[in-house]
Amino acid sequence: MSSSLPLKVVVLGAGSWGTAFAKVVADAATAAGSNRQVVLWGRKPEAMAQMASTRINEPYFPGVKLPDNLEFTSDVEQALHGAHIVVLAIPAQALRAQLEVFAPLLEPDAVLVSLAKGLEMGSGLRMSEVIIEVLQGNLVAIDAPSETISGVADRVTVLSGPNLAKEIIVEQPTTSVVAATTLKTAQKVASICAADYFRPYTNTDIIGVEIGGLVKNVIALCVGMCEGKQYGDNSKASVMTRGLAETTRLALALGGKLETMSGLAGMGDLIATCSSPLSRNHTAGRLLAEGIEPDQLHTVMSQTAESIKSAPVVAELARKVEVAMPITEAVVAVLNRTISVEQLAPALLGRALKSESDHIS
């Protein structure tokens, strides 16, 4: 790509988080006085044409005007041509299939940003690992140089934190974390999304940031169940605190850093997702407690609660690395109908007594 061209950022996925993040990037460009090109891609031509005409994503954010400097398209080849930074706002379980289509169209030095929070069913891979695997496979297929193939990991970043899209779209202040193998790459991504209401921090703990972002969805499902059974704040605070403990155990076992778990991608994201009725996973847990079956949630929710599919994968990963995750296991038991929501509290409180200091051992 020619360095003389303005920076081009493409967000793939015009759902709630993809749309909100595209707005952040467009607003950040305006605030910086930059001529950066910002493009939002969605797979439905009619929907994207409507957005281009009205500048409103009616299904997700009715009445909210999107920035004048944000472009819309359903042509992925056109969107990715010349793109320096590609943001993947695609559900975790659809990421591999979609990226296999996108990979041949990517610029060879494009930086990729993952917004998805989950583990891939079947492989148990984190989203950054899925991205690296697909991109490396594409490069092998075209017989790219070995250094190009090995360098893919340095171009993959993840963004996570307390990021409820419905708050961000109306410019309520929030913070986030961008993680990459090097601070230079993380800072490059942070620079394109630093808006007046959105502050990105950086680190190099991709594992910790991803584990924090995906396990909190499972814990939020449990807190939602507490909400649905009309348990009080003591119950919910207990689940959140012990949930952070088991998230920390898993992150450390996989190579993540302790300080990440006490930061925005750990505690921050956990608090927001577990506490807010805007959280789709919190909502799913409440609906389960109110009697909706797991396989019927899609009939009463317009958005996907990633934890329904990722909870069993998280539990499997924890068993593989011999990490105790009792809340996650209990949630999986509810989803599998092994126990009822009513049996959830006794299952957790009836465990053997232990020291609280064992939470990271």
Side-chain angles (χ1 to χ4, degrees):
M1 287 179 286
S2 172
S3 59
S4 62
L5 295 174
L7 187 71
K8 181 179 180 180
V9 182
V10 175
V11 179
L12 299 178
S16 59
W17 189 203
T19 301
F21 191 73
K23 180 183 184 305
V24 168
V25 177
D27 287 342
T30 299
S34 168
N35 62 346
R36 182 183 308 143
Q37 184 181 9
V38 185
V39 181
L40 176 62
W41 171 88
R43 59 188 176 84
K44 298 179 180 178
E46 304 84 2
M48 300 312 293
Q50 181 72 8
M51 256 186 272
S53 173
T54 64
R55 311 207 70 77
I56 296 175
N57 188 336
E58 192 67 32
Y60 292 101
F61 305 119
V64 178
K65 282 280 188 179
L66 297 171
D68 291 338
N69 61 329
L70 178 58
E71 302 174 23
F72 306 90
T73 185
S74 60
D75 185 333
V76 71
E77 186 171 357
Q78 179 188 68
L80 292 174
H81 180 71
H84 303 76
I85 297 179
V86 177
V87 181
L88 300 166
I90 298 167
Q93 305 311 323
L95 180 60
R96 181 182 293 273
Q98 290 274 59
L99 192 55
E100 285 174 348
V101 175
F102 301 151
L105 305 175
L106 293 170
E107 298 290 349
D109 56 349
V111 172
L112 287 93
V113 186
S114 171
L115 300 187
K117 300 176 180 180
L119 290 175
E120 185 180 48
M121 295 173 64
S123 70
L125 295 177
R126 291 175 284 109
M127 295 299 97
S128 65
E129 294 176 310
V130 172
I131 294 168
I132 292 168
E133 189 170 280
V134 172
L135 296 190
Q136 288 183 335
N138 179 70
L139 290 171
V140 168
I142 62 174
D143 199 25
S146 58
E147 60 268 22
T148 302
I149 296 171
S150 62
V152 164
D154 294 333
R155 297 192 287 112
V156 176
T157 69
V158 299
L159 184 145
S160 191
N163 300 146
L164 295 165
K166 287 186 178 180
E167 293 184 0
I168 292 172
I169 201 73
V170 293
E171 302 184 13
Q172 292 187 16
T174 192
T175 52
S176 197
V177 178
V178 179
T181 56
T182 67
L183 278 178
K184 181 180 179 180
T185 301
Q187 288 164 351
K188 180 176 182 178
V189 173
S191 70
I192 61 100
C193 59
D196 294 342
Y197 55 92
F198 191 92
R199 178 183 173 87
Y201 289 81
T202 57
N203 72 28
T204 56
D205 184 15
I206 292 179
I207 294 172
V209 169
E210 286 192 294
I211 293 299
L214 66 93
V215 179
K216 59 89 186 179
N217 285 336
V218 181
I219 307 305
L221 195 65
C222 188
V223 172
M225 292 180 198
C226 293
E227 188 89 30
K229 300 310 294 183
Q230 298 185 337
Y231 294 157
D233 292 335
N234 289 340
S235 301
K236 289 178 280 188
S238 297
V239 171
M240 290 167 65
T241 305
R242 296 309 303 170
L244 180 60
E246 61 184 64
T247 304
T248 301
R249 283 196 296 268
L250 181 61
L252 294 181
L254 295 172
K257 299 177 181 177
L258 181 60
E259 56 266 32
T260 302
M261 295 300 101
S262 61
L264 292 166
M267 184 186 298
D269 201 6
L270 181 75
I271 292 171
T273 307
C274 290
S275 303
S276 177
L278 297 177
S279 161
R280 64 189 74 174
N281 293 285
H282 177 279
T283 299
R286 177 178 55 77
L287 291 171
L288 289 171
E290 292 173 355
I292 303 296
E293 295 293 337
D295 57 2
Q296 293 301 308
L297 284 171
H298 70 280
T299 65
V300 291
M301 292 182 65
S302 60
Q303 295 177 277
T304 302
E306 290 281 9
S307 58
I308 301 298
K309 292 183 178 179
S310 65
V313 190
V314 172
E316 184 179 350
L317 177 61
R319 293 183 212 115
K320 182 178 179 181
V321 295
E322 299 182 342
V323 168
M325 299 189 73
I327 296 175
T328 300
E329 292 284 4
V331 166
V332 172
V334 170
L335 295 176
N336 291 340
R337 299 182 177 84
T338 305
I339 65 173
S340 66
V341 175
E342 288 74 14
Q343 294 171 305
L344 184 64
L348 291 172
L349 298 180
R351 298 173 63 241
L353 301 182
K354 61 187 291 188
S355 167
E356 187 183 28
S357 63
D358 291 340
H359 76 290
I360 60 170
S361 61

